C-alpha cells in the first residue's frame, strides 16, 4: 500500500503563485509516473501535469508556460509550481502516482486526498 500526502493549497489572488507538494510513502520499488490532476466544481477530473520515468513532462494545454512539475526521485516527492494563476485554475488538486511495489512488473495507481486551490480577488 502507498500513501500520498499533499500540502500547499490555499487562497491566492489572480496573478499570484502557489506551490503544491506531494510525498509518497509505503511499498515502493519504483514510481513510474507522478503528477497532479485537478477537478473544478461540476467538471470532470483532468490531468494538470505529470512527470514520467526519464523526466518527460506532460501538461494540460491551459497551464503550459505557467505550471512546472518536478520530482525528487530520492525522496519520492513531486511538486507543482503554479505561477500567474487564474480564477479558472480554481479546483481541488489531487496528487497521483503509478507505483510498482516490486520488480515483477505489476503497478498500481494511487491518489492523494486532494488540496483546494482557490484563485480569487
Amino acid at each position: 500500500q502507498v500513501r500520498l500526502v499533499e500540502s500547499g493549497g490555499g487562497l491566492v489572488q489572480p496573478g499570484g503563485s502557489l506551490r503544491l507538494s506531494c510525498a509518497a510513502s509505503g511499498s515502493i520499488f519504483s514510481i513510474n509516473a507522478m503528477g497532479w490532476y485537478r477537478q473544478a466544481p461540476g467538471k470532470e477530473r483532468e490531468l494538470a501535469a505529470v512527470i514520467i520515468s526519464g523526466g518527460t513532462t506532460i501538461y494540460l494545454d491551459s497551464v503550459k508556460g505557467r505550471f512546472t512539475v518536478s520530482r525528487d526521485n530520492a525522496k519520492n516527492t513531486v511538486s507543482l509550481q503554479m505561477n500567474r494563476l487564474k480564477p479558472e485554475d480554481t479546483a481541488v488538486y489531487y496528487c497521483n502516482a503509478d507505483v510498482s511495489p516490486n520488480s515483477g512488473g505489476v503497478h498500481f495507481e494511487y491518489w492523494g486526498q486532494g488540496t483546494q486551490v482557490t484563485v480569487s480577488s
Side-chain angles (χ1 to χ4, degrees):
Q1 190 70 11
V2 171
R3 184 182 182 206
L4 302 180
V5 178
E6 301 140 336
S7 60
L11 172 65
V12 64
Q13 293 186 342
S17 298
L18 278 176
R19 186 176 180 86
L20 305 181
S21 296
C22 174
S25 61
S27 299
I28 300 171
F29 173 75
S30 65
I31 298 179
N32 308 306
M34 200 169 184
W36 298 89
Y37 286 68
R38 68 184 188 182
Q39 187 167 19
K43 294 189 176 181
E44 299 275 328
R45 189 174 296 189
E46 61 183 0
L47 173 70
V50 66
I51 185 165
I52 61 178
S53 298
T56 299
T57 55
I58 300 171
Y59 293 95
L60 180 68
D61 281 348
S62 62
V63 309
K64 286 180 181 177
R66 300 187 297 121
F67 289 12
T68 302
V69 63
S70 59
R71 273 178 66 176
D72 185 329
N73 293 326
K75 296 181 179 179
N76 291 330
T77 60
V78 66
S79 297
L80 185 66
Q81 178 66 42
M82 304 184 292
N83 298 328
R84 292 183 281 130
L85 282 160
K86 304 176 181 180
E88 50 264 43
D89 294 318
T90 295
V92 178
Y93 284 71
Y94 295 91
C95 181
N96 175 272
D98 184 277
V99 178
S100 293
N102 53 54
S103 60
V106 296
H107 58 99
F108 303 96
E109 185 177 36
Y110 296 93
W111 294 91
Q113 78 282 1
T115 186
Q116 178 69 46
V117 171
T118 302
V119 185
S120 175
S121 55

